[in-house]
Every structure is written in structure tokens, then in C-alpha cells.
Amino acid sequence: MNFSHAIVRPPAPNFADGITMADLGAPDVPRALAEHAAYCRALEQCGLTLTALPADAAHPDSTFVEDTAVITPHVAVLTRPGHQSRMGEAAAIEPALAARFALKQIEAPGTVDGGDICEAGTHVFIGLSERTNESGGRQLARYLEEAGHTTALVRFETGPGLLHLKSGLSWVGGRHLVIVDALAAHPAFTGWHLLRVPAGEEYAANCVRVNDRVLVPMGFPKTEALLRAHGYDPLPLDMSEFRKMDGGLSCLSLRF
Ligand code: CIR
């Protein structure tokens, strides 16, 4: 949660051609660009230095940079995204990451989307989903454990609003996990203090602790109140256009 840098990539003009299960209409690209700019300013306000990569129209979902890598203080792993249309995003971001990190790599037949990986201090939850398969999850777990992390595999059912594990789960500090009801009964979360997002506010379960603040999507007052009640300082951001493409706050940056 203590970060000094982030890598971001603005949405490309063909952002609306990306993959989505959400039934919220097509995103407005100029508005998405404005929301992305506000997101970048918020990260800077939290003390981060940003590296902004150029928009990549070869991959309409490429603004969701989080899916291409898993970066912890101890290891950096280039993923192999689980949807055919997104696989090339890993190669596209590799030079920017290889300049900073000695990269490990997920190999075929493994697939991993970074959105399925939730760091909680030294412990890491690895979601097994329609994007992250067992081979990918196990390869990643090995890299993480070799670097000193503990890991837990969390198999879950993809569904509307739950594309990735982190669509419904965030670690905000200490033993606190923000979580949707659909995930809360999984044994991997036994012993953790679960902050369950109120019904109707499931989208707000994707929030991001960045230094002293917790970035939260705008428009979910009960979740903001829940966070405040536990001592956190929420920073709401408009995510309307990214939500239309199944994206959340965490997906828009790689933080380290
Ligand atoms: C996709 O379906 O892959 C994109 N439209 C959304 C990816 C969101 N990424 C994330 O939650 N980490």
C-alpha cells in the first residue's frame, strides 16, 4: 500500500471496442479520457510519480494495465492475459517493465490477469477465474512464494460485476478486506476482518489503498461511510466510463 510510482496508459480512441459483460451502453471516449486524467491527478495527489505510456489502439482494453503484470516489493511477473484479444498487451508493456524490474513470466498454457491478484501485505490471494487458469495461478504462486510471499488460490464464479477477483475484493490495510457477499464465504478469507459492501454498492468493492488514502468509485456513500468508520480516508473518483467496460479503479494502474 506504500507506493511511489505508477504506470498508466490512457484509453485509445477505440476503447469502446474492448470486451464487456456490463449492460451499461458504450463508453464516451472523451469522458473516459477526462476520468483517466482525474485518476492520474489523484495518484499524484497521493504522492506517486507517474509513467504514462502512449495509448495503444492495437488493444482496445490496454488502458487496464493492471492485468499485464503483478508487481510486489519482492518480485515482478509479466502475465499472460486470459482473453485472446488481450494477450498482446503483455508484450506491448514488457519494455517499460523490463527497464525497471527483472521480470519473471507466466508461460503457456498458463493465463493470468492481474485483476485476479489481490496483495494483502505479504499474503497474496490468487483468483482462479475465466481469465486466470490453474496453470497460471500455480506458476504465479511459485514465483511469489520463492520471493517470500504466502499465497491462497481462490476459485470463484465469473458473473456480472465479478470479472476478476478484485472486482469484488480489495485489501485496504491490516486485516481489512473490502468484499462482496458473493466471495465472503470462501475459506481463504477465514480469519480476515471482512468489510462487506452493502447491497447495491458491489462495484465499490474494487477500491485501492494508496498511501494514506483509499481511492473509491464515486457514488457509493455507504461504502465510503464503512471505510471512514474503520479509520480510512476515501478519495472518490468518477469511474462511469470504465465501469461500462467492466473496469474498476485498480485496473487503471500498476503501482509500486
Ligand atoms: C476486460 O474484459 O478484460 C476489460 N474490458 C476490463 C478489464 C478490467 N481489468 C481489471 O479489472 N483488472
Side-chain angles (χ1 to χ4, degrees):
M1 74 172 83
N2 290 315
F3 302 117
S4 58
H5 289 85
I7 296 176
V8 294
R9 193 193 282 285
N14 60 350
F15 176 52
D17 295 340
I19 320 152
T20 186
M21 299 182 289
D23 196 11
L24 297 170
D28 177 279
V29 175
R31 190 166 171 192
L33 285 167
E35 290 179 0
H36 193 268
Y39 177 88
C40 291
R41 283 197 302 274
L43 291 179
E44 286 172 339
Q45 188 186 327
C46 293
L48 275 58
T49 301
L50 299 195
T51 299
L53 302 177
D56 174 11
H59 303 103
D61 278 307
S62 55
T63 191
F64 301 119
V65 284
E66 176 184 66
D67 293 318
T68 60
V70 176
I71 301 171
T72 82
H74 311 292
V75 64
V77 183
L78 190 68
T79 66
R80 190 166 173 272
H83 193 286
Q84 192 59 41
S85 78
R86 300 199 60 194
M87 262 186 195
E89 290 179 34
I93 206 166
E94 182 175 5
L97 295 177
R100 294 174 173 79
F101 305 104
L103 285 175
K104 311 279 187 194
Q105 200 155 334
I106 302 297
E107 306 286 353
T111 60
V112 171
D113 272 16
D116 279 322
I117 314 308
C118 182
E119 275 180 74
T122 55
H123 190 63
V124 185
F125 298 104
I126 300 174
L128 297 180
S129 67
E130 285 183 5
R131 299 291 178 87
T132 298
N133 65 17
E134 182 132 4
S135 164
R138 291 197 185 281
Q139 289 179 50
L140 180 66
R142 199 187 65 232
Y143 289 138
L144 291 168
E145 286 171 14
E146 284 169 0
H149 292 281
T150 55
T151 65
L153 297 176
V154 182
R155 191 177 291 283
F156 70 96
E157 234 9 82
T158 300
L162 202 56
L163 169 65
H164 288 124
L165 182 65
K166 269 191 300 200
S167 312
L169 174 72
S170 303
W171 176 68
V172 285
R175 300 292 293 173
H176 285 145
L177 299 173
V178 179
I179 194 165
V180 294
D181 285 348
L183 294 173
H186 195 286
F189 306 122
T190 304
W192 291 79
H193 185 149
L194 304 186
L195 307 184
R196 295 165 79 128
V197 292
E201 295 207 356
E202 288 79 3
Y203 181 69
N206 180 267
C207 50
V208 188
R209 173 77 185 267
V210 181
N211 301 337
D212 294 337
R213 307 297 300 270
V214 180
L215 310 190
V216 293
M218 195 173 277
F220 302 94
K222 293 179 188 159
T223 305
E224 277 186 45
L226 180 68
L227 286 165
R228 269 198 209 91
H230 287 85
Y232 297 104
D233 186 10
L235 172 53
L237 291 169
D238 192 353
M239 291 294 295
S240 66
E241 305 315 293
F242 298 104
R243 187 179 186 186
K244 291 174 181 172
M245 300 308 292
D246 285 337
L249 280 166
S250 70
C251 336
L252 291 180
S253 58
L254 279 165
R255 302 157 297 277
F256 49 92

